[in-house]
């Protein structure tokens, strides 16, 4: 006997599972307690295949990123130079064995040579060694500034673009105030309150970058929060902060990453400018801006004291800008 459903014919009773044992241990067939678990649980081999596919996908993604860098000579040169500067900051003794603080008076104001790549200053100190050892202070201050601007600015922009209403109005007024004052003037005002020092200079520069991160993140959050999947998540009863964390933030981070690379270069330039004016580390601590400032009195006789440290600063800024443009272009292509 069969029961007919539309055009499909199915048996009224399912045949017992031949592989399951009959007896007091439990019913055989699909009524057995472990039948559905056996059907649903993935086989170990399939799970291993999934993990392997995930590793292969990640490897292919990294490979494509590596090929994109290799095919762009300018981008490759920028990445290599920034890696070199980071290596200077992490292990300065490997790249410069000379003492950056104590000089040899007999070697004062020597031109660049094989022994002294960047020449020596008026106290006989090796300028290359001072640039290499000063990279830690300059880069650490840059990281502090960008991290402050990224965290605070992105949070404000994310909340303003997602919650809107009075939150958007308050954040908008704060951003307008920060943008109304020139960044260098605002940094000088903050340093006047906080005092001198590398960390305080980094905090002052970081506060000036909050507005840029807030504007970009707000624009991306407004765009993402109006998409169908975000509206569906909110309509299904998911908490707003969960939607913010799982959907809005990951899909709004692309332009912010490109802005981060751009702000790295801008922060290096701003911190060097403030150090040039004397607001950074106290002498004789080597810092890029202070090195340029210290060579002003010897421009006619020793051009390398200001030119070579200044070229390092310019190269770092241009490299960061090149990476930022590449990230922005890749984001637009996707």
């Amino acid at each position: 006997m069969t029961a007919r459903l539309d055009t499909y014919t199915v048996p009224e009773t399912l045949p017992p599972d031949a592989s399951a044992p009959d007896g007091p241990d439990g019913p055989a067939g699909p009524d057995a307690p472990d039948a559905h678990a056996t059907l649903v649980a993935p086989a170990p081999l399939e799970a291993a295949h999934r993990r392997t596919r995930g590793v292969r996908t990640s490897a292919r993604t990294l490979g494509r990123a590596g090929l994109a860098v290799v095919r762009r000579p300018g981008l490759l040169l920028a990445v290599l130079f920034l890696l070199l500067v980071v290596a200077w900051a992490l292990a300065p003794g490997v790249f410069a064995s000379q003492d950056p603080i104590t000089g040899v008076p007999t070697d004062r104001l020597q031109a660049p040579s094989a022994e002294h790549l960047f020449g020596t200053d008026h106290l006989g100190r090796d300028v290359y060694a001072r640039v290499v050892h000063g990279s830690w202070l300059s880069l650490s201050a840059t990281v502090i500034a960008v991290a402050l601007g990224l965290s605070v600015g992105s949070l404000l922009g994310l909340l303003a673009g997602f919650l809107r209403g009075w939150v958007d109005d308050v954040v908008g007024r704060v951003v307008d105030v920060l943008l109304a004052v020139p960044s260098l003037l605002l940094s000088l005002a903050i340093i006047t309150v906080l005092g001198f020092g590398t960390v305080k200079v980094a905090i002052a520069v970081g506060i000036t970058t909050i507005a840029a991160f807030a504007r970009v993140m707000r624009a991306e959050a407004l765009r993402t929060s109006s998409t169908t999947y975000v509206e569906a998540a909110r309509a299904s009863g998911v908490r707003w902060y969960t939607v913010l964390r799982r959907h809005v933030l990951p899909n709004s981070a692309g332009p912010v990453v490109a802005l981060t690379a751009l702000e790295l270069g801008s922060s290096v330039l701003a911190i060097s400018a403030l150090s040039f004016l004397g607001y950074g580390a106290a002498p004789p601590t080597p810092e890029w801006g202070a090195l340029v400032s210290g060579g002003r009195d010897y421009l006619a006789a020793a051009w390398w004291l200001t030119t070579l440290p200044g070229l390092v600063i310019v190269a770092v800024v241009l490299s960061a800008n090149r990476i930022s443009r590449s990230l922005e272009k890749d984001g637009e292509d996707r």
Side-chain angles (χ1 to χ4, degrees):
M1 294 291 294
T2 58
R4 187 172 183 83
L5 298 176
D6 295 333
T7 59
Y8 297 93
T9 303
V10 297
E12 290 182 351
T13 60
L14 295 172
D17 189 358
S19 61
D22 295 332
D25 293 337
D31 295 332
D34 297 333
H36 295 288
T38 303
L39 293 175
V40 174
L45 186 58
E46 294 179 359
H49 286 169
R50 289 197 191 98
R51 288 193 294 269
T52 304
R53 285 195 297 269
V55 171
R56 291 175 179 173
T57 302
S58 301
R60 284 195 297 268
T61 303
L62 293 176
R64 286 194 295 267
L67 287 175
V69 173
V70 172
R71 291 173 180 174
R72 302 174 185 175
L75 178 60
L76 178 61
L77 185 61
V79 171
L80 291 178
F81 181 76
L82 288 184
L83 289 177
L84 176 62
V85 174
V86 172
W88 284 357
L90 297 178
V94 176
F95 298 92
S97 58
Q98 295 88 347
D99 191 344
I101 305 298
T102 304
V104 180
T106 56
D107 293 340
R108 61 186 302 270
L109 295 180
Q110 289 190 4
S113 61
E115 185 179 0
H116 303 287
L117 295 179
F118 287 6
T120 59
D121 62 4
H122 61 288
L123 297 177
R125 296 173 297 191
D126 187 84
V127 178
Y128 172 73
R130 290 177 62 78
V131 170
V132 171
H133 285 266
S135 59
W136 169 254
L137 279 177
S138 298
L139 290 188
S140 60
T142 301
V143 171
I144 293 173
V146 174
L148 177 61
L150 174 64
S151 57
V152 177
S154 298
L155 179 60
L156 292 177
L158 192 65
L159 294 176
F162 184 74
L163 298 179
R164 306 180 187 182
W166 66 269
V167 177
D168 192 13
D169 294 337
V170 172
V171 173
R173 300 296 79 75
V174 172
V175 171
D176 290 341
V177 171
L178 292 176
L179 292 177
V181 184
S183 59
L184 184 59
L185 182 60
L186 181 59
S187 299
L188 291 175
I190 297 172
I191 291 173
T192 303
V193 176
L194 298 178
F196 297 178
T198 303
V199 176
K200 295 173 182 178
V201 167
I203 294 174
V205 174
I207 292 175
T208 62
T209 63
I210 290 176
F213 283 106
R215 290 183 65 186
V216 174
M217 180 58 81
R218 176 185 176 275
E220 291 300 311
L222 284 173
R223 179 188 60 82
T224 307
S225 60
S226 61
T227 55
T228 305
Y229 59 88
V230 173
E231 294 178 353
R234 300 185 69 175
S236 62
V238 180
R239 294 181 175 88
W240 67 270
Y241 52 83
T242 304
V243 176
L244 200 65
R245 176 173 55 87
R246 291 184 180 178
H247 301 291
V248 179
L249 180 59
N251 292 283
S252 303
V256 178
V257 172
L259 179 63
T260 302
L262 182 64
E263 288 296 333
L264 282 173
S266 301
S267 297
V268 168
L269 190 60
I271 290 170
S272 298
L274 293 172
S275 177
F276 178 87
L277 296 174
Y279 296 105
T285 304
E287 198 172 17
W288 287 351
L291 294 179
V292 178
S293 176
R296 289 178 299 172
D297 297 332
Y298 303 91
L299 281 175
W303 56 268
W304 56 88
L305 295 182
T306 55
T307 302
L308 297 181
L311 288 177
V312 171
I313 297 173
V314 171
V316 171
V317 174
L318 293 179
S319 299
N321 291 349
R322 180 65 183 85
I323 294 174
S324 175
R325 289 199 306 271
S326 177
L327 292 174
E328 184 179 3
K329 182 179 178 181
D330 292 343
E332 292 176 353
D333 293 339
R334 287 194 297 267

